[in-house]
Amino acid sequence: MTPRQNRPTINQVAAAAGVTKSSVSRAFTRPEMLSQETVRKIFAAAEQLGYVPNHTARALSTGRHGNIALIVPDVANPFFPPLIRAAQSEADRSDYCVFLGNSDENPQQEDKLIGRFAGQVEGFVLVSSRLSDAQIIEHAARRPLVLINRDVEGIPRVLIDSATGVAEAVAHLAELGHRKLVYVGGPHGSWSNKQRRGAVRRSARELGLEVTVISNEFAAFESGRKITASVLATGATAAIAFDDLTAQGMLAELADQGIAVPANFAVVGCDDVLGAATYPSLTTVSNRSVEAGKAALNLLMDILQNQAIRDVRYVLNTSLVIRKTTGPAVIPR
Amino acid sequence: MTPRQNRPTINQVAAAAGVTKSSVSRAFTRPEMLSQETVRKIFAAAEQLGYVPNHTARALSTGRHGNIALIVPDVANPFFPPLIRAAQSEADRSDYCVFLGNSDENPQQEDKLIGRFAGQVEGFVLVSSRLSDAQIIEHAARRPLVLINRDVEGIPRVLIDSATGVAEAVAHLAELGHRKLVYVGGPHGSWSNKQRRGAVRRSARELGLEVTVISNEFAAFESGRKITASVLATGATAAIAFDDLTAQGMLAELADQGIAVPANFAVVGCDDVLGAATYPSLTTVSNRSVEAGKAALNLLMDILQNQAIRDVRYVLNTSLVIRKTTGPAVIPR
DNA sequence: CTGTTAGCGCATTCAC
DNA sequence: GTGAATGCGCTAACAG
């Protein structure tokens, strides 16, 4: 046997209290089965010895761990921390511990993490999972699993619907007189990207606007800067970016080129991770990640308690947050 | 007994492979003890049955869990996610799972979390712990524990020393001809704030600069905007802010007032959490949180392997990252 | 090299 | 109400 903590066990408490293991065990799990007097004695002895039930032994015996795992593509992406925090706090209310996993946007890593966690958690929350539908379904068959921003039929999921906010953004630009705009995309595999691009196209068609889609695999500040030239080359007067970081990069590049925002060009972000902290402050689509994290966790807790997995599809609508990077369209340069 | 996963056990693999439990166990832990042939047979059987060692049972038997806990005051504070990510990735290299805890800046919550994790982790990393020295020492006596940005003698710790970077910032401003500057403070209780303010004062004195300290309890974008008027009122030509968020707020306010940066006023941030993502890109003091996270984890891993806790005090110096918000001083307005 | 045996600490039947 | 006995799945002496 390897070095182990020398914490008191149920047996020592039993001896000290003059009862058997069974009673001590019961005192900590179903005290109503014991006489008040015995419970009191046991607690006193436990307290005195500094006894704390052994989580592992209990888990081995019951199959219940009191842990859940939360896996995200990238902890450092500003979209996730608030979500993580919310999920965490919700788990805490039910006395669950949470394992955090960082998949690095990599399906294999994600799969590996799930495997590592599998043996010691009650269930999973997968955020913006990079796994295939088949893999997700397979894992969901083994353990309760809820998805955030991934739409797989039959698997409980919480979706942030940026389409509503994006549609508002297009309408907003149309009202301001813009006739030609571009959508600057995000990661190819991303469900959100597909959703946003689709929403831009649909709304644009309905409102009779012309829209160009420009791909931009790596959503980030720098790539936002670099893509700006192509955006301007289209002759558009406004752009909607896949996310705030990309939009912020565009803002910096436009400023460098002496193109005033919003006077000469309008920019809309997505996810509102920057708050009003750009200059000019960014018009963007609201992000409901905190609510998503909370909802996902409540869903998981519910499933764990009622051991019944219902096919829930919880959608959170978004809306446009109008700040200072959008304004009336100008005569094409 | 409660509902349990029906995963195959070591016994079934043993039966299928025509050996005993022991051999199967060995095949998965110390295969070099077995003949190649036996190992092959066992792996084949295991593979065929889809056997995966039961983490919990193993932990109960060995006292080793392969988990560690990382506790931070606030996951959503942009300072922490990169650190978390780095720690995470380092843990992964050693096949450890990491529990993430959010203390909400609250000592009691932090203590509670430690208790919850205690039974299922090898050790702890406490980031910017809000606990008292006594509590930290007590917990460290039970389990390996390493600190980040908290200086308790006898406990292995990793410290980010922002004083060096701040001193460079003052020197940089002095070289540019600035004679009068202001330090915009942060939270009163903050160890980092004390450290930074002290460094500004010391360097300013050495270089013969005049410095005004302005308090600003809530470090954030909005408070940065609001404090700007008082900053300008001092007649200074440059400001060093407690953190990047505050600096960013100041940038926005200066832009609104038509004061060009760096032409008319210089601004320096601290922590480099924004990268080059402001406009103009912010001159700031490097933040070495990624290295801190990595170092802390390596330290912990080292302790776990050699079961010897040395009194390590690992200091990471910071330096100035010169970007675009600092330039030559101008004639006082 | 491999089998036998005895726990790890606790929850849960089944008796009394 | 409480005790005795069994097992959760695996590791680790101890033999052979």
Side-chain angles (χ1 to χ4, degrees):
Chain A
M1 297 287 158
T2 25
R4 183 194 311 283
Q5 284 291 123
N6 242 12
R7 302 196 313 184
T9 79
I10 207 176
N11 266 314
Q12 319 195 25
V13 177
V19 295
T20 58
K21 308 201 309 184
S22 321
S23 296
V24 178
S25 173
R26 285 173 185 129
F28 280 89
T29 50
R30 321 184 53 189
E32 71 279 7
M33 283 184 69
L34 269 39
S35 79
Q36 300 217 333
E37 174 57 12
T38 344
V39 172
R40 206 193 43 67
K41 269 194 322 201
I42 293 175
F43 280 168
E47 169 90 7
Q48 210 267 339
L49 293 175
Y51 168 78
V52 174
N54 181 312
H55 197 100
T56 311
R58 180 176 281 179
L60 180 58
S61 181
T62 62
R64 227 175 295 111
H65 307 256
N67 299 149
I68 63 125
L70 178 68
I71 302 183
V72 302
D74 179 7
V75 183
N77 179 323
F79 181 84
F80 300 114
L83 184 157
I84 296 172
R85 192 181 190 291
Q88 187 96 221
S89 134
E90 214 56 28
D92 188 64
R93 301 198 326 150
S94 305
D95 291 336
Y96 270 79
C97 293
V98 5
F99 278 114
L100 180 64
N102 195 96
S103 76
D104 270 332
E105 316 262 3
N106 176 348
Q108 302 200 3
Q109 173 72 1
E110 189 169 349
D111 214 59
K112 179 177 122 192
L113 286 173
I114 293 181
R116 252 219 245 313
F117 293 142
Q120 32 186 351
V121 301
E122 252 58 15
F124 289 90
V125 174
L126 265 34
V127 188
S128 304
S129 176
R130 265 44 174 171
L131 297 178
S132 67
D133 282 17
Q135 285 176 300
I136 290 178
I137 290 170
E138 195 178 321
H139 285 126
R142 304 191 199 292
R143 296 229 178 273
L145 180 160
V146 0
L147 260 21
I148 292 183
N149 276 1
R150 182 66 188 268
D151 197 0
V152 179
E153 193 138 3
I155 313 291
R157 53 213 186 277
V158 176
L159 304 169
I160 297 178
D161 182 14
S162 38
T164 53
V166 167
E168 286 182 27
V170 175
H172 171 62
L173 292 172
E175 265 177 37
L176 290 170
H178 294 271
R179 311 300 307 161
K180 197 164 192 312
L181 55 89
V182 3
Y183 172 70
V184 179
H188 282 54
S190 163
W191 175 77
S192 298
N193 182 40
K194 212 166 305 174
Q195 192 188 39
R196 291 166 194 185
R197 189 182 51 211
V200 171
R201 281 192 169 132
R202 202 172 321 117
S203 307
R205 188 170 341 108
E206 286 169 8
L207 298 166
L209 303 192
E210 187 178 333
V211 38
T212 309
V213 171
I214 295 187
S215 295
N216 181 37
E217 179 65 12
F218 302 106
F221 181 82
E222 274 311 323
S223 69
R225 279 194 94 112
K226 291 198 189 108
I227 208 84
T228 305
S230 338
V231 173
L232 293 173
T234 65
T237 57
I240 296 179
F242 166 71
D243 70 1
D244 278 8
L245 263 26
T246 306
Q248 193 179 25
M250 294 178 62
L251 247 34
E253 185 62 23
L254 289 167
D256 270 357
Q257 301 199 10
I259 299 176
V261 172
N264 296 325
F265 196 84
V267 176
V268 177
C270 212
D271 282 349
D272 201 12
V273 298
L274 268 19
T278 57
Y279 189 83
S281 62
L282 186 66
T283 293
T284 187
V285 171
S286 69
N287 136 324
R288 302 183 63 186
S289 66
V290 167
E291 288 154 280
K294 183 171 171 180
L297 229 103
N298 285 144
L299 236 142
L300 184 55
M301 290 299 139
D302 190 52
I303 292 172
L304 293 180
Q305 289 190 0
N306 308 320
Q307 355 231 59
I309 303 180
R310 299 159 299 155
D311 182 11
V312 183
R313 186 171 190 275
Y314 191 96
V315 179
L316 291 163
N317 286 330
T318 56
S319 57
L320 185 67
V321 179
I322 299 176
R323 290 202 267 253
K324 306 261 174 75
T325 53
T326 45
V330 289
I331 293 83
R333 293 176 309 283
Chain B
M1 300 286 156
T2 25
R4 182 193 314 283
Q5 283 292 122
N6 243 14
R7 302 194 312 184
T9 80
I10 206 176
N11 267 314
Q12 319 195 23
V13 178
V19 295
T20 58
K21 306 199 310 183
S22 324
S23 295
V24 178
S25 173
R26 286 175 185 126
F28 280 91
T29 50
R30 321 184 54 188
E32 70 278 8
M33 284 184 67
L34 269 38
S35 79
Q36 299 217 334
E37 173 58 11
T38 329
V39 173
R40 206 194 42 66
K41 269 195 322 200
I42 293 176
F43 280 168
E47 169 90 9
Q48 210 266 337
L49 294 175
Y51 169 77
V52 174
N54 182 313
H55 196 100
T56 311
R58 179 177 283 178
L60 181 57
S61 179
T62 62
R64 228 174 297 111
H65 306 256
N67 300 148
I68 63 127
L70 178 69
I71 301 185
V72 303
D74 179 8
V75 183
N77 179 324
F79 182 84
F80 300 114
L83 186 156
I84 295 172
R85 192 180 190 292
Q88 187 98 219
S89 133
E90 215 54 28
D92 187 64
R93 299 198 327 151
S94 305
D95 292 336
Y96 271 77
C97 292
V98 5
F99 278 114
L100 180 65
N102 194 97
S103 75
D104 269 332
E105 316 264 2
N106 176 349
Q108 302 201 3
Q109 172 72 3
E110 189 169 350
D111 213 60
K112 178 177 123 192
L113 285 172
I114 293 181
R116 251 218 247 311
F117 293 141
Q120 32 187 352
V121 301
E122 251 61 12
F124 289 90
V125 175
L126 266 33
V127 188
S128 304
S129 176
R130 264 47 174 171
L131 296 178
S132 68
D133 282 17
Q135 285 175 300
I136 290 177
I137 291 170
E138 194 178 321
H139 285 127
R142 303 190 200 293
R143 296 228 178 273
L145 180 159
V146 1
L147 260 20
I148 292 183
N149 276 0
R150 181 66 187 268
D151 199 359
V152 179
E153 192 138 4
I155 314 290
R157 53 210 186 279
V158 176
L159 303 169
I160 297 177
D161 182 14
S162 40
T164 54
V166 167
E168 285 183 26
V170 175
H172 170 63
L173 291 172
E175 265 178 34
L176 290 171
H178 294 272
R179 313 299 309 160
K180 195 165 192 314
L181 54 89
V182 0
Y183 172 70
V184 179
H188 283 54
S190 162
W191 176 73
S192 298
N193 182 41
K194 212 166 304 174
Q195 193 187 38
R196 290 163 195 188
R197 189 182 52 212
V200 171
R201 282 194 167 128
R202 203 173 318 116
S203 307
R205 190 172 336 109
E206 286 169 8
L207 298 167
L209 303 193
E210 187 178 332
V211 39
T212 310
V213 171
I214 295 187
S215 294
N216 182 37
E217 179 65 12
F218 303 106
F221 180 81
E222 274 311 323
S223 69
R225 279 194 94 114
K226 292 198 188 105
I227 208 84
T228 305
S230 340
V231 173
L232 293 173
T234 65
T237 57
I240 297 179
F242 165 72
D243 70 1
D244 279 8
L245 262 26
T246 307
Q248 193 178 25
M250 295 177 60
L251 248 34
E253 185 62 23
L254 289 166
D256 270 357
Q257 300 197 10
I259 299 176
V261 172
N264 297 323
F265 195 83
V267 176
V268 178
C270 211
D271 281 349
D272 201 12
V273 297
L274 268 19
T278 56
Y279 190 82
S281 61
L282 187 65
T283 293
T284 187
V285 171
S286 71
N287 135 325
R288 302 184 62 189
S289 67
V290 167
E291 287 153 281
K294 184 172 171 180
L297 229 102
N298 285 144
L299 237 141
L300 184 56
M301 289 299 139
D302 190 53
I303 292 172
L304 293 180
Q305 288 191 0
N306 308 319
Q307 358 231 58
I309 303 181
R310 299 159 299 157
D311 181 10
V312 183
R313 185 172 189 276
Y314 190 95
V315 179
L316 291 163
N317 287 330
T318 54
S319 57
L320 186 66
V321 179
I322 300 177
R323 290 202 267 252
K324 306 259 172 78
T325 53
T326 46
V330 288
I331 294 82
R333 292 177 309 284

